[in-house]
Amino acid sequence: MDPATSDGAAGRHTALGFSTVAFTVCFAVWTIFSIIGVQIKTDLGLNETQFGLLVGTPILTGSLIRVALGIWTDRYGGRRIFALVMLSAALATWLLTYAKTYPQMLVAALGVGIAGGAFSVGVAYVSRWYPSGKQGTALGIFGAGNVGSAVTKFLAPFVLVAYGWQTVAQVWAAALVVMAVVFWFATEDDPVQREQRRRGERPKSAWLDLAPLKNVQVWRFGLYYFFVFGAFVALALWLPRYLIDVYGLGIAAAGMIAAAYSIPASIFRAYGGHLSDKYGARRVLYWTFLVSIACTFVLSYPPTEYVVRGIQGPITFELEVGLVPFTVIIFVLGFFMSLGKAAVYRHVPVYYPESVGAVGGLVGMIGGLGGFVLPIVFGLLNDLTGIWTSCFMLLFLIVSVSLAWMHLSIRRMERDVAEQDLARLPQLPEMLPIHKPQHVGAMGPSLIHDWRPEDAEFWEKTGRAIARRNLWLSIPSLLLSFAVWMVWSVVVAKLPAVGFQYTTDQLFWLAAVPGLSGATLRIFYSFMVPVFGGRLWTTLATWSLIFPALGIGMAVQHPETPYWILLMLALLCGFGGGNFASSMSNISFFFPKSEKGNALAMNAGLGNLGVSVAQFLVPLAITVGVFGWLGGDPIMVTEDGHTFPMWLQNAGYVWVPFIVVSAFASWFGMNDIASARASFAEQSVIFQRKHNWIMCWLYTGTFGSFIGYSAGFPLLAKIQFPETNALAYAFLGPLVGALSRSATGWIADRWGGARVTLWVFIGMTAGVAGVLYFLSVGSFPGFFAMFMVLFLVSGVGNASTFQMIPAIMRKEMDRLMPHAESAERLRNAEKESAAIIGFSSAIAAYGAFFIPKSYGTSIAATGGPEAALWAFLIFYVTCIAITWWVYARRGGLLYDIERGLAPSPLKPTLQPAG
């Protein structure tokens, strides 16, 4: 139903007007702690961290609640939910005045944050009143309610000085109650809600509202809004402090300039909606991102002095953004951010008319989280870099990624239309006169259109050789990825020796950050192979390793290198960690079920060997001038009374030649399988599969343990047995785990992944119990032996859990697609298996951070690592119970298949040749 024909202009304008005023009041309450928090900090004697958490808590809760409120608005109507939001936030704000302690303040702040959720309610409510051609303008006017932040900044200080912060909270709470009552009696239910009531339609399931969230464009909109709104909120909070500390302004002058940014960044949102309706949201977003890139680039440039060696002597000059240019640029940035906010939300009601609340809520949640996260990151960057403009450097990076992602997506959409015609052309124009339909694709051997690994005749004649070639080209790439990922575990131990003056905590973060970034990148890498193709993505992923390798080589030669540069290089090493997910996903497409477990075990096991290779090779490479003059001069170091040269740069440079060779080999030797292509949306169905989450849990118990023990064992051994040179044996653990994984894949193929995994977790439980025992008696040989058992068993489990995934999904496709052809079910099972393999490896990789961190937390809290080890043991017991109950017991999903009591699911019928 078109709202334009169902209600008059008066009704629409009334709904828009009162919604905008209501949102303004809600936004004023949402940001109330920016004023009263200053007095609360003084009253309670809060430190900076406590104050930041108090101010940020409403922002966080107001963001997280937006999805739920959006869904409820779609189901029950915006008028009802909007009034309830205002009343709930008013109650919490009023109760705030009775809080006396800091924990009570935080609890009250959680309730105050409800006011921030009003945005997703208003978007869904207002959009239902307007036709498509006017929704951009309407939502832009509604979004101008962001100006409520300025209302609080202008009015609250006067009330606070005159009557105290409690009165501010009471007045703002009363304003919410009054606004809720006025809104309820002045507005009507939206046209869609009234039509549903007239027809007697029941609200649809909340799961249907969540369905659109699996589409990648929704998350892309979230990234855009993270910048245009999240960065707006962050800068509104950050600018006063920035202006005071950088330009030496007083609080009054800083507040006025900050208002010059925040007011246009709010009120011009309505104009952005008008421009989006008139010229298109895409064009507005392009202008927003391009101008924002220019502004943040200029603002990110730190005050710098240059000395040019001129003919007549040195010429010195400075580059610095003065106060007046800064004010002008920040005003321009705020103006275009306001346009971008409207442009992002212009799409939501057009493409998701039935789920405006859910989709708008998610996009708003991501944007709101930016307002919570970014100020914290700004402060962290200041501590790490010592550069005030680092906050704008981060914003420059975010907006650049947003523009690149949007532009590449648009170009891909346009290219897909043309590629259908381009694919029919010959590779060279000379062939055009004799090019026939049968020649199409004949010169493109890298893309395989006919791939039937379960067909025994095809596999023996054609498939096996191709699959093995791709496997043996994948293994070196993955080995190098693991080597680069874990190289900091060696480098950090040598940094103090070559002159880097970092604290132990800073060194720990350098060692831990690759684990965090690698695990996070795996989530995205999990879905890349079906989107881009295994050949292209493996090549790109291998080439990406060259950046941290060269960067480490250059940075460690200069002890004056800023810490933040080394931290960025450690983050880039996460490219290596991410590559595992895409590599395993790619190889899983090539092999039949009977050989898949062994193939994945070979790829992963020999790839995991890169950890041992790095821990063994780097200590040797840094003692020799491998690259001569090209590698740079050594640094003389003294250890244990001996002085000798050290080429620490070789820790990075040594991998460069191998990376180049492996990247070229991948591009010229690997293949893409046409049937393996799938969009992110097609793969995202795994988030609805319960077995995806179960296997994430189990694989965290195997691979998460392997990579976490690899990172934490050397430090733990050094702390618990300082009299023993445990570092000399550190590489043995990862070596044992990698070899056991590559050599035992056939066991899972032979006996079944579930049965093997069950015994693996029993073995890991026993191994941790052994570690606890030998720690209690102070025996290093026993301690070392038990950890070798853990590495060995975890390697076996790494192979067996991955063998389970394809078998599970083949069995599940019988239930999920009962009427589909066998070949179609098999293709879907393979695609989903690959996505689950990649995603579960991403989740499990966080073990590289959390296991060492658990040791540190346990030692700090109790004086020993026993508490962490007991937690690991309990976790393994849960894995035993889950594996047995869901998969291995009689009646479990894989029981009959692994014992040959049922035919293998989705075994295709051989088709006659020809």
Side-chain angles (χ1 to χ4, degrees):
M1 181 180 60
D2 189 348
T5 62
S6 60
D7 291 88
R12 294 199 299 272
H13 296 337
T14 298
L16 175 59
F18 280 99
S19 295
T20 303
V21 175
F23 181 50
T24 302
V25 176
C26 287
F27 211 91
V29 172
W30 196 30
T31 56
I32 191 174
F33 279 98
S34 63
I35 300 300
I36 69 173
V38 177
Q39 185 62 46
I40 293 174
K41 177 185 177 184
T42 302
D43 293 346
L44 297 182
L46 305 180
N47 58 36
E48 292 295 334
T49 302
Q50 290 172 320
F51 173 69
L53 181 60
L54 180 64
V55 173
T57 295
I59 307 299
L60 176 63
T61 55
S63 303
L64 295 178
I65 202 174
R66 287 183 172 186
V67 174
L69 289 177
I71 292 173
W72 292 342
T73 301
D74 287 338
R75 299 186 69 192
Y76 304 112
R79 177 169 169 260
R80 182 185 305 174
I81 301 301
F82 215 146
L84 288 176
V85 165
M86 287 187 279
L87 292 175
S88 300
L91 177 62
T93 307
W94 183 272
L95 293 176
L96 174 65
T97 61
Y98 295 96
K100 303 299 181 184
T101 65
Y102 181 65
Q104 291 173 348
M105 294 285 183
L106 288 178
V107 172
L110 290 171
V112 173
I114 296 174
F119 177 74
S120 60
V121 179
V123 166
Y125 179 65
V126 170
S127 66
R128 287 182 169 184
W129 283 93
Y130 285 84
S132 176
K134 296 183 179 180
Q135 285 174 337
T137 302
L139 292 179
I141 293 172
F142 169 76
N146 290 162
V147 78
S149 174
V151 172
T152 290
K153 290 178 181 177
F154 279 126
L155 299 181
F158 297 103
V159 181
L160 185 147
V161 171
Y163 302 104
W165 70 264
Q166 290 89 348
T167 302
V168 176
Q170 291 169 352
V171 171
W172 265 235
L176 270 178
V177 173
V178 171
M179 190 65 241
V181 173
V182 172
F183 182 85
W184 178 259
F185 287 105
T187 61
E188 299 178 351
D189 288 333
D190 62 76
V192 175
Q193 184 71 19
R194 277 182 282 152
E195 181 66 16
Q196 289 176 346
R197 188 181 299 118
R198 186 184 66 82
R199 294 177 179 177
E201 295 180 6
R202 295 173 58 86
K204 63 182 179 180
S205 169
W207 290 109
L208 297 178
D209 285 308
L210 291 173
L213 304 189
K214 69 181 182 180
N215 297 331
V216 68
Q217 69 267 24
V218 174
W219 298 89
R220 189 160 61 240
F221 289 161
L223 174 63
Y224 303 161
Y225 206 62
F226 186 88
F227 174 75
V228 294
F229 177 76
F232 152 70
V233 175
L235 286 177
L237 298 172
W238 185 256
L239 277 178
R241 179 184 177 190
Y242 183 92
L243 291 165
I244 291 170
D245 289 335
V246 174
Y247 294 105
L249 300 181
I251 182 63
M256 293 300 295
I257 294 176
Y261 161 77
S262 60
I263 292 178
S266 300
I267 61 176
F268 283 109
R269 183 168 183 162
Y271 185 55
H274 169 71
L275 293 178
S276 297
D277 284 339
K278 185 174 182 179
Y279 299 106
R282 180 203 289 188
R283 183 178 299 180
V284 174
L285 277 177
Y286 262 121
W287 277 108
T288 295
F289 291 152
L290 288 170
V291 173
S292 297
I293 284 176
C295 291
T296 53
F297 177 80
V298 174
L299 294 175
S300 67
Y301 205 87
T304 308
E305 294 183 356
Y306 289 93
V307 178
V308 179
R309 296 176 183 175
I311 298 174
Q312 304 299 328
I315 302 173
T316 304
F317 63 95
E318 297 181 356
L319 285 181
E320 182 176 1
V321 178
L323 179 59
V324 174
F326 178 88
T327 305
V328 173
I329 295 172
I330 205 71
F331 180 91
V332 173
L333 179 63
F335 172 76
F336 277 92
M337 279 180 161
S338 69
L339 303 186
K341 294 176 200 173
V344 170
Y345 268 89
R346 179 66 183 87
H347 296 81
V348 176
V350 175
Y351 288 96
Y352 300 99
E354 302 299 323
S355 303
V356 174
V359 176
L362 177 67
V363 174
M365 182 193 74
I366 296 174
L369 288 177
F372 173 75
V373 172
L374 287 175
I376 299 174
V377 178
F378 289 167
L380 178 63
L381 287 175
N382 274 2
D383 293 336
L384 293 176
T385 66
I387 300 174
W388 270 105
T389 59
S390 58
C391 60
F392 294 107
M393 297 178 187
L394 175 62
L395 296 183
F396 173 78
L397 177 63
I398 294 172
V399 69
S400 297
V401 171
S402 300
L403 175 62
W405 195 2
M406 184 181 77
H407 182 68
L408 290 174
S409 299
I410 292 170
R411 293 297 299 156
R412 181 177 181 84
M413 175 183 66
E414 295 171 343
R415 187 174 63 249
D416 286 345
V417 177
E419 277 185 350
Q420 299 176 14
D421 294 326
L422 293 175
R424 291 193 287 267
L425 296 176
Q427 295 191 14
L428 298 173
E430 292 83 356
M431 300 293 105
L432 188 58
I434 58 173
H435 190 64
K436 305 297 181 185
Q438 63 267 28
H439 299 134
V440 174
M443 299 296 289
S446 295
L447 180 63
I448 302 174
H449 291 276
D450 180 24
W451 187 251
R452 293 171 282 116
E454 300 293 347
D455 184 331
E457 181 180 354
F458 173 86
W459 178 249
E460 292 298 331
K461 182 179 179 181
T462 305
R464 188 190 301 274
I466 296 174
R468 287 183 174 177
R469 183 179 72 249
N470 280 270
L471 172 63
W472 288 109
L473 289 173
S474 174
I475 288 172
S477 172
L478 189 55
L479 185 146
L480 290 168
S481 298
F482 269 90
V484 173
W485 191 27
M486 288 289 117
V487 71
W488 278 100
S489 65
V490 180
V491 173
V492 292
K494 299 297 182 181
L495 287 178
V498 296
F500 286 85
Q501 303 300 316
Y502 295 147
T503 65
T504 301
D505 186 57
Q506 287 177 312
L507 293 176
F508 166 76
W509 275 105
L510 286 176
V513 157
L516 285 176
S517 62
T520 303
L521 284 174
R522 283 189 179 193
I523 296 175
F524 302 97
Y525 277 45
S526 303
F527 305 99
M528 293 299 103
V529 167
V531 175
F532 294 99
R535 171 174 168 259
L536 174 60
W537 189 255
T538 302
T539 302
L540 292 176
T542 306
W543 273 119
S544 70
L545 303 177
I546 208 164
F547 297 108
L550 289 174
I552 291 171
M554 291 184 285
V556 299
Q557 296 183 65
H558 306 286
E560 66 276 9
T561 300
Y563 178 71
W564 68 269
I565 291 181
L566 295 186
L567 196 65
M568 289 301 299
L569 290 171
L571 283 169
L572 290 178
C573 284
F575 286 148
N579 195 16
F580 178 84
S582 56
S583 179
M584 296 297 285
S585 173
N586 183 43
I587 292 303
S588 70
F589 286 111
F590 282 93
F591 286 84
K593 175 184 178 296
S594 60
E595 299 186 29
K596 195 180 295 289
N598 190 54
L600 292 174
M602 290 286 290
N603 189 56
L606 296 180
N608 292 166
L609 201 60
V611 180
S612 286
V613 171
Q615 294 179 348
F616 179 78
L617 181 61
V618 169
L620 297 178
I622 63 178
T623 61
V624 182
V626 179
F627 300 99
W629 64 270
L630 188 62
D633 297 326
I635 297 177
M636 301 305 296
V637 301
T638 301
E639 292 182 350
D640 299 327
H642 301 285
T643 301
F644 55 92
M646 178 180 292
W647 289 266
L648 188 57
Q649 59 268 33
N650 287 353
Y653 288 156
V654 71
W655 309 110
V656 173
F658 301 105
I659 291 170
V660 173
V661 172
S662 180
F664 275 109
S666 298
W667 179 250
F668 290 106
M670 297 188 75
N671 300 94
D672 290 326
I673 299 176
S675 61
R677 292 297 182 92
S679 66
F680 174 81
E682 291 174 303
Q683 299 176 79
S684 64
V685 71
I686 67 169
F687 298 126
Q688 302 173 22
R689 308 295 192 224
K690 70 174 183 178
H691 295 287
N692 172 53
W693 304 105
I694 294 174
M695 293 311 300
C696 284
W697 186 269
L698 298 183
Y699 194 57
T700 299
T702 55
F703 179 78
S705 299
F706 164 79
I707 198 67
Y709 291 148
S710 297
F713 171 71
L715 181 60
L716 180 65
K718 182 178 180 180
I719 292 174
Q720 297 301 308
F721 301 96
E723 71 284 356
T724 304
N725 184 20
L727 297 181
Y729 312 104
F731 73 95
L732 289 176
L735 177 64
V736 168
L739 292 179
S740 69
R741 178 171 192 162
S742 60
T744 60
W746 62 272
I747 297 178
D749 286 336
R750 172 64 179 84
W751 299 101
R755 281 194 285 181
V756 174
T757 301
L758 180 66
W759 284 104
V760 161
F761 285 126
I762 293 173
M764 297 193 74
T765 304
V768 174
V771 172
L772 285 166
Y773 171 76
F774 287 111
L775 272 176
S776 66
V777 300
S779 171
F780 176 76
F783 170 86
F784 181 80
M786 287 297 99
F787 260 103
M788 293 305 104
V789 169
L790 286 172
F791 278 113
L792 174 68
V793 178
S794 69
V796 177
N798 289 340
S800 63
T801 47
F802 267 7
Q803 194 275 348
M804 292 170 62
I805 294 173
I808 291 169
M809 295 316 299
R810 285 190 175 99
K811 182 73 175 290
E812 280 290 274
M813 285 304 152
D814 285 338
R815 179 179 64 86
L816 296 169
M817 305 175 65
H819 303 298
E821 294 292 333
S822 177
E824 182 182 355
R825 283 183 284 151
L826 182 62
R827 282 193 298 270
N828 277 277
E830 294 297 315
K831 289 178 181 179
E832 291 193 25
S833 296
I836 293 174
I837 285 172
F839 183 74
S840 61
S841 74
I843 300 302
Y846 282 104
F849 174 79
F850 285 110
I851 285 183
K853 190 66 174 65
S854 297
Y855 290 149
T857 301
S858 176
I859 292 172
T862 66
E866 287 79 6
L869 291 167
W870 275 110
F872 301 158
L873 189 147
I874 294 171
F875 174 74
Y876 295 142
V877 171
T878 67
C879 292
I880 293 173
I882 291 172
T883 305
W884 178 79
W885 178 258
V886 180
Y887 301 115
R889 68 179 175 91
R890 185 182 297 275
L893 189 69
L894 300 180
Y895 181 88
D896 291 343
I897 295 174
E898 294 186 352
R899 287 161 178 79
L901 302 178
S904 180
L906 300 187
K907 187 174 183 180
T909 304
L910 298 183
Q911 301 296 323

